[in-house]
Amino acid sequence: MKTQVAVLSVVSELYPFVKTGGLADVAGSLPPFLKAEGIAITSLIPGYRQVMTKLAETTEIHHFPDLFGGPAWLRRATVGSLDLIVLDAPHLYDRDGTPYLTPEGEDWPDNPFRFAALSAAGAAMGLGEVEAFRPDIVHAHDWQAGLTPAYMHYRMGERGRAATIMTVHNLAFQGQYAPELLGPLGLPPDAMGVDGVEYYGGIGFLKAGLQFADRITTVSPKYAEEIATSQGGMGIGGLLRDRIGELQGILNGIDEAVWDPSTDALIAAKFDRLHIKPRRINKVSLQRRVGLREDPDALLLGLVSRLTWQKGIDMVLDALPLILGTGAQVAFIGQGDRAMERAVRDAVTAYPGRVGCVIGYDEELGHLMQAGADALLLPSRFEPCGLTQLYALRYGAIPVVARVGGLSDTVIDVNEMARAEGIGTGIQFHPPTVEMLESAALRVASLWRKPALWRRIQRNGMRTDVSWRRSARLYAELYRELADPALSRALSA
Ligand code: ADP
Ligand code: GLC
């Protein structure tokens, strides 16, 4: 029997309590897979209003008399297979809006303190200051948890500290704030240096995490390579290159219970690899919901995505004349940049019945898209991992992806070699430009005219292992290695 390792995951969103993107899916679906490996994960999340209202019973395990301007409590709860500790800090989290934005779509002005508080609470546990829970490992996710390893470094006392891991889900979001916040954030003056939290003259939350964590991971092997280059490093590639020996890419998996077309209650008709026909019912239902002409024979290309530059939505809009020229329909479900939302709406007006959209965040429609679209478009300019192509594989929507980051690691292009071996699962194109997207759209349209081949590609995708099994083992190995007592002694020295 392997010894139990206790991990504290510090994370700003977690499905099904609060979700704005893939981070929540990952944080919510990985822990159960690690139980089998002898790893017990407890997740620390902010007690946003939407989280507190979903929790019935909690046990108070700690009280902070003043956490950045008000009292706060750590409350423990177990919900299904998830062990949670919620940071209940009403002055920071009890409000409408999203975890990061006001109802008007602006960043919360006190975001540095909201997420410093999350990090400080994680650090308190990592430093052994919370009697009820002393983890062996503290695992911080993205910039919101980036100060955790830094606080642990600067505040370490005699008790030593847990080992730390920083996972990058997206290097584009770094949490950069004015240098004047150093004192108010509770960081010592000597932290303001290149070996500390300083980043381009300000304070970098993600930089701090990358600087001080014992190990760094990101969410696909290809993205791990990309971010250690000057081109893909988004200003921080130098630090990542210096730490390349401690940087590892571990591919995301999916929750196969939530994303299973044979049991999914959110779709119009259930189906599986051997009974794929009901997809047509889902397609018509999707067409109706997004305002497309109802036609089960039309090729339907779908997108379900944050509407941002990263995701290449503008390229799809530019390619629309050619795409629609092939006879295909295009459906968007998404929200994000206001200008991009407007541009999508304009396209719907320009091409009624052939382009459809729902602007907003709608979990149910996200499922219907996977079950009803024939192909899922992902022309991302960069993509740390991407989960929607994994859902697409499982639901028989053929992914059409830019060959970057995790998209490159998870979709097998149906080139001649793959076709000969019968292993292709989608279409890849490179570089992510309008022209290459257009030629990929032509390839999709030509595949669509070969139903037997189309079906084979769909089946290959539906057979692909997109679960957490392999990656959970890699995380477990990493945790166990870091929890080794000899190493912990060295960290405390
Ligand atoms: P990212 O985290 O960069 O947004 P991922 O592909 O990792 O990208 O994860 C996105 C997640 O958010 C998926 O679960 C996807 O279905 C979901 N999603 C994105 N936009 C929407 C939307 N407008 N409505 C419903 N679900 C969405
Ligand atoms: C980020 C990335 C996405 C990844 C997700 C979960 O939001 O943009 O590619 O899948 O995190 O790791």
Side-chain angles (χ1 to χ4, degrees):
M1 174 75 189
K2 293 171 184 165
T3 46
Q4 276 268 336
V5 177
V7 178
L8 178 71
S9 166
V10 184
V11 68
S12 59
E13 47 184 283
L14 185 143
Y15 182 84
F17 297 96
V18 51
K19 167 170 168 180
T20 73
L23 175 59
D25 287 351
V26 169
S29 59
L30 177 58
F33 277 90
L34 284 163
K35 274 206 179 131
E37 303 281 340
I39 308 288
I41 296 203
T42 300
S43 302
L44 171 68
I45 58 172
Y48 309 112
R49 182 175 287 175
Q50 53 181 311
V51 169
M52 296 314 288
T53 54
K54 283 185 194 134
L55 290 176
E57 261 179 61
T58 61
T59 312
E60 180 187 326
I61 59 165
H62 196 72
H63 174 58
F64 299 97
D66 179 9
L67 190 64
F68 299 108
W73 296 264
L74 291 176
R75 303 190 191 281
R76 209 170 191 163
T78 298
V79 185
S81 54
L82 293 171
D83 293 318
L84 303 177
I85 294 177
V86 177
L87 176 59
D88 181 11
H91 63 297
L92 301 173
Y93 307 128
D94 184 19
R95 40 180 97 161
D96 290 332
T98 81
Y100 317 120
L101 305 177
T102 66
E104 292 71 43
E106 304 292 329
D107 283 351
W108 290 109
D110 59 348
N111 270 350
F113 297 102
R114 298 173 71 237
F115 296 109
L118 176 71
S119 301
M125 286 183 268
L127 291 168
E129 294 167 2
V130 175
E131 206 174 311
F133 187 59
R134 297 206 169 107
D136 303 300
I137 313 273
V138 174
H139 187 166
H141 296 271
D142 271 355
W143 74 266
Q144 294 90 345
L147 286 186
T148 314
Y151 284 138
M152 287 171 66
H153 171 84
Y154 289 114
R155 290 189 186 156
M156 186 162 75
E158 282 168 10
R159 233 200 289 257
R161 63 168 175 87
T164 52
I165 300 171
M166 181 77 229
T167 291
V168 179
H169 293 264
N170 196 333
L171 205 60
F173 303 107
Q174 301 191 350
Q176 266 173 273
Y177 295 104
E180 294 74 38
L181 293 187
L182 193 73
L185 287 171
L187 289 161
D190 66 346
M192 204 59 200
V194 281
D195 296 336
V197 304
E198 188 272 339
Y199 187 57
Y200 292 98
I203 299 167
F205 279 37
L206 182 63
K207 189 283 173 133
L210 297 175
Q211 180 74 34
F212 290 110
D214 298 313
R215 292 298 177 82
I216 301 169
T217 74
T218 187
V219 289
S220 69
K222 180 77 177 175
Y223 193 59
E225 269 172 38
E226 291 170 354
I227 60 179
T229 64
S230 46
Q231 211 191 0
M234 297 190 160
I236 216 165
L239 167 55
L240 290 165
R241 273 197 296 286
D242 287 347
R243 301 206 59 190
I244 197 121
E246 293 139 338
L247 166 67
Q248 185 182 358
I250 302 180
L251 204 59
N252 286 336
I254 71 165
D255 187 328
E256 291 172 304
V258 174
W259 295 91
D260 179 352
S262 70
T263 57
D264 194 333
L266 301 178
I267 62 179
K270 301 183 192 12
F271 60 97
D272 61 38
R273 189 156 51 88
L274 302 175
H275 309 93
I276 220 160
K277 268 248 172 77
R279 284 193 106 262
R280 288 166 71 86
I281 301 172
N282 291 309
K283 189 200 283 198
V284 174
S285 167
L286 176 64
Q287 285 167 329
R288 198 172 310 136
R289 292 287 294 276
V290 300
L292 287 172
R293 187 164 44 83
E294 291 174 33
D295 175 3
D297 296 319
L299 167 62
L300 201 171
L301 310 180
L303 294 101
V304 48
S305 178
R306 288 186 289 118
L307 300 181
T308 64
W309 185 82
Q310 173 191 346
K311 302 292 182 178
I313 306 299
D314 50 308
M315 291 191 252
V316 179
L317 295 174
D318 287 345
L320 272 180
L322 177 130
I323 295 175
L324 299 177
T326 68
Q329 303 182 329
V330 180
F332 296 85
I333 297 172
Q335 68 176 15
D337 297 348
R338 295 291 191 257
M340 222 170 259
E341 291 181 353
R342 228 171 299 126
V344 170
R345 284 204 176 96
D346 290 347
V348 173
T349 312
Y351 304 105
R354 296 197 286 158
V355 178
C357 81
V358 168
I359 300 296
Y361 192 94
D362 185 328
E363 195 69 24
E364 183 184 340
L365 267 181
H367 283 242
L368 187 62
M369 178 65 89
Q370 300 290 0
D374 296 302
L376 199 80
L377 290 185
L378 272 144
S380 304
R381 290 187 164 93
F382 64 94
E383 196 60 72
C385 180
L387 297 175
T388 53
Q389 83 281 11
L390 303 180
Y391 302 142
L393 288 170
R394 197 149 158 75
Y395 279 68
I398 293 182
V400 179
V401 306
R403 191 166 64 246
V404 296
L407 300 175
S408 158
D409 286 335
T410 53
V411 174
I412 303 173
D413 185 71
V414 281
N415 52 35
E416 253 164 55
M417 206 148 67
R419 225 184 275 186
E421 293 182 24
I423 56 171
T425 58
I427 288 179
Q428 292 196 345
F429 61 91
H430 194 78
T433 58
V434 177
E435 294 70 34
M436 296 316 286
L437 171 62
E438 286 176 341
S439 69
L442 294 174
R443 285 181 71 197
V444 186
S446 113
L447 282 179
W448 182 246
R449 290 191 291 271
K450 303 182 182 100
L453 179 56
W454 186 275
R455 185 58 57 91
R456 212 164 329 130
I457 300 167
Q458 263 182 323
R459 289 223 170 102
N460 287 346
M462 295 177 88
R463 246 199 310 259
T464 303
D465 182 3
V466 289
S467 78
W468 270 113
R469 273 178 285 278
R470 265 197 64 219
S471 296
R473 229 170 291 136
L474 294 176
Y475 276 115
E477 274 167 25
L478 177 63
Y479 292 144
R480 207 163 282 118
E481 184 191 328
L482 282 175
D484 185 287
L487 184 70
S488 326
R489 270 197 303 282
L491 292 175
S492 329

